[in-house]
């Protein structure tokens, strides 16, 4: 039934247009999204520097699935379903914390940081502790970013890893620390949150803080570049070539996108005056004008890597009309707040921008509830929405008919 | 040292001793015929070098001096040049002329408890002059000394640094050579952020005095800034060299007759040929906008004062127009103008 319903909606979909209404607002489709996308694909969870010491953990929910990501005693990142093997209680309840062992608050079953059950009081002689360890979740760490996958057989991340590492590794994310984290909830479907992020058509009318520094084009051969930004682009490219920093768009298909683009003339960072947000530069950089590496990966994260700080955005759907967006600001591990950077200055542009985007996505969601809503055409500058909806339709098509059906249809 | 006040007149100096520092560096001890000469460590002497083709004026930092004598430590450069001439001709008993000591690269600039003296090659000389002064006036000073040389034989002042360390408990010395031989236990390689930061982990918190080749000083300046150092805490001895690379010149705006434009209290300018929106975007003040043609009203701003030529294209209601709103995208200035974002 559900499959037929989704297949029907997919059949209505017009390429180059926004999706049919139910994909954005319907509860049943939302549950399908969770099952088809969020429980099968790699999800950005956090950064390794958020859990620097053994026992540091962080929790999140992937759909209905509570997850704990932690650093184990060997210093490795691991993730488990945050559900006790006794009668299922949530084990770690805080958003983040530190634990020597994971102890279930209900009946105090004790798990080692590797997930094994090491104590279950009052259980009878012969109880098989080894068979009751926490259910593990696949983890991959790419340039300090922790991705998790709930599927039994996770898809390959190899192309993504190979594609983005040359852009990100020079910023040395392992040598950063968290300066600030913000979590907001948007009353909008997660796909609207992503779509909003995938275009800057809306920037001129809505993001006065961001546009002090951000260039509005997304590709170096954008016609806008020709008209206004060619000199800036050429000078920036020459500078980055000289430093051996890649900048041309990576080959990411519909899965991911990675590119280094300049800031506006004389701007170095996301601040209200374009000057650096953190005086201590990342890595071994001495050149402050590195523009930013803009990275995006379906289904749930985008990032900016600058000379002086790194921004990670994590999107987690809560329900058909609610989405959590968590933003993390990373600076050099030795940077000192109040000396090298000022928190307000570091965060004000994106706090304002996130809030503006929240309003846009919420209004988008409300408007789509109208019975008069019809999928509308993308502008050329919204080309990344095409990539996103093609990718999404592919996922849902695999679910309704299996990959065979998709290949046959093509 | 309030001896003879520096004057514009030329000093005539006699060389009273010459000693070898390294195979290519000599120190010349000079005495002014007119009596002791005062100087502040870090200052330089501009020497008139009588080259065969005509005199050349060259700045040399005064590496030290006692009792009114001045010492210049000079590395011999290419044949035919001034330094080579001095090495070959200036010896005990010969005379030379110079302008009195000058320069502001001295400990008079000091306003930080933590110092770093970073030098490349013969740039160590003003550093050594200042270090000797510190040893006398503030032996407890917290000072990091970093010196980069080509090979171990060219490292300057090694013995004297060792002696001063005995008197200066907070003097940390690090030497890097780019062509080390076996048995070299210091840093290896050219100056880089990683190397400098591992030698001086708090470089960004220190007031830096830097002297060396132009490229070296430029690199160290970038490293200090990248480590979080404030520009005002970085001093170079730049008398002899080329001025530091100039900041890229902003494309000169074709300055037509223009007016003042104030947006939310921020004063910028506006040219006669541009709209309020263009003028503010050009100067980094972002007014939200959409159509750019006076139709959507997104760029509506309140006109606080001034005369304008406003051509809304249906993007303003008559009420808004009556209340003094204008559309930034389709309004030009006809006098100095002040606006406020709506
Ligand atoms: S103009 Fe794009 S959704 Fe309204
Ligand atoms: S931008 Fe549309 S009226 Fe000015
Ligand atoms: Fe936005």
């Amino acid at each position: 039934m559900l499959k037929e319903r989704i297949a029907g909606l997919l059949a209505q979909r017009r390429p180059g247009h926004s999706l049919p209404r139910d994909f954005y607002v319907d509860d049943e489709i939302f549950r399908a999204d969770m099952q088809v996308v969020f429980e099968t694909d790699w999800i950005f969870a956090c950064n390794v520097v958020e859990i620097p010491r053994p026992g540091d953990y962080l929790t999140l929910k992937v759909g209905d699935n509570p997850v704990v990501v932690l650093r184990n005693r060997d210093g490795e990142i691991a993730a488990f379903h945050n559900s006790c093997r006794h009668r299922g209680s949530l084990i770690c309840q805080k958003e983040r914390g530190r634990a020597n062992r994971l102890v279930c608050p209900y009946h105090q079953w004790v798990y080692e940081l590797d997930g094994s059950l090491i104590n279950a009081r009052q259980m009878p002689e012969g109880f098989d502790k080894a068979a009751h360890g926490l259910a593990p979740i696949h983890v991959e760490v790419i340039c300090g970013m922790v991705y998790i996958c709930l599927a039994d057989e996770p898809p390959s991340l190899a192309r993504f890893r190979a594609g983005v590492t040359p852009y990100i590794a020079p910023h040395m994310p392992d040598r950063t620390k968290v300066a600030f984290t913000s979590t907001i909830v948007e009353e909008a479907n997660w796909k609207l949150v992503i779509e909003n992020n995938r275009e800057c058509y809306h920037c001129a009318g809505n993001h006065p803080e961001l546009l002090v520094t951000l260039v509005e084009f997304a590709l170096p051969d954008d016609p806008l570049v020709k008209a206004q930004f060619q000199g800036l682009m050429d000078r920036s490219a020459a500078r980055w070539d000289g430093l051996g920093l890649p900048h041309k768009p990576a080959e990411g298909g519909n899965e991911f996108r990675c590119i280094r683009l300049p800031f506006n003339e004389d701007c170095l960072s996301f601040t209200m005056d374009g000057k650096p947000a953190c005086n201590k530069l990342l890595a071994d950089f001495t050149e402050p004008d590195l523009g930013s590496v803009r990275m995006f990966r379906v289904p749930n994260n985008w990032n900016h890597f600058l000379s002086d700080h790194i921004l990670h955005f994590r999107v987690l759907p809560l329900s058909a009309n609610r989405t959590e967006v968590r933003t993390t600001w990373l600076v050099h591990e030795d940077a000192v707040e109040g000396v090298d950077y000022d928190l307000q200055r570091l965060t004000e542009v994106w706090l304002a921008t996130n809030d503006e985007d929240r309003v846009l996505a919420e209004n988008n969601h409300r408007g789509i509830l109208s019975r008069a809503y019809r999928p509308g055409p993308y502008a050329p500058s919204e080309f990344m929405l095409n990539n996103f909806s093609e990718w999404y339709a592919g996922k849902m098509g695999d679910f309704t008919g299996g990959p065979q059906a998709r290949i046959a249809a093509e | 040292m309030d001896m003879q006040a520096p004057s514009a007149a030329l000093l005539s100096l006699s060389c009273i001793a010459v000693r070898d520092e390294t195979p290519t560096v000599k120190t010349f001890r000079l005495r002014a015929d007119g009596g002791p000469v005062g100087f502040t460590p870090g200052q330089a002497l501009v020497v008139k070098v009588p080259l065969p083709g005509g005199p050349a004026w060259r700045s040399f930092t005064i590496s030290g001096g006692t009792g009114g004598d001045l010492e210049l430590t000079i590395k011999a450069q290419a044949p035919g040049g001034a330094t080579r001439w001095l090495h070959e001709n200036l010896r005990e008993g010969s005379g030379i002329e110079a302008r009195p000591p000058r320069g502001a690269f001295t400990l008079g600039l000091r306003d930080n408890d933590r110092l770093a003296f970073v030098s490349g090659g013969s740039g160590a000389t003003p550093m050594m002059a200042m270090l000797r002064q510190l040893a006398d006036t503030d032996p407890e000073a917290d000072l990091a000394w970093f010196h980069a040389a080509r090979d171990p034989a060219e490292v300057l002042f090694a013995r004297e640094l060792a002696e001063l360390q005995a008197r200066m408990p907070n003097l940390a010395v690090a030497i890097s050579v780019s062509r080390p031989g076996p048995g070299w236990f210091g840093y290896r390689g050219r100056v880089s952020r990683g190397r400098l930061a591992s030698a001086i982990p708090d470089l960004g918190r220190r007031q830096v005095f830097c002297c060396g080749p132009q490229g070296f000083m430029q690199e160290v300046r970038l490293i200090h800034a990248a480590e979080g150092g404030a520009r005002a805490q970085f001093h170079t001895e730049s008398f002899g060299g080329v001025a530091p690379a100039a900041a890229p010149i902003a494309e000169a705006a074709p300055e037509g007759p223009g007016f003042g434009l104030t947006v939310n209290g921020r004063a910028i300018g506006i040219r006669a040929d541009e709209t309020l929106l263009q003028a503010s975007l050009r100067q980094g003040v972002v007014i939200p906008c959409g159509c750019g043609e006076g139709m959507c009203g997104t760029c509506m701003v309140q006109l606080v004062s001034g005369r304008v030529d406003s051509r809304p294209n249906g993007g303003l209601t008559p009420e808004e127009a009556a209340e003094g709103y204008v559309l930034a995208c389709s309004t030009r200035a006809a006098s100095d103008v002040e606006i406020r974002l709506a």
Side-chain angles (χ1 to χ4, degrees), chain A residues 360-378:
Chain A
L360 295 168
E362 291 180 350
N363 286 332
N364 198 173
H365 190 103
R366 285 187 199 116
I368 288 175
L369 287 168
S370 163
R371 51 179 274 200
Y373 168 77
R374 298 285 178 276
Y378 295 143

Side-chain angles (χ1 to χ4, degrees), chain B residues 277 289-299 315 327-330:
Chain B
L277 181 65
C289 63
C291 67
E293 297 174 11
M295 295 169 66
C296 71
T298 310
C299 64
L327 298 177
C329 75
S330 23

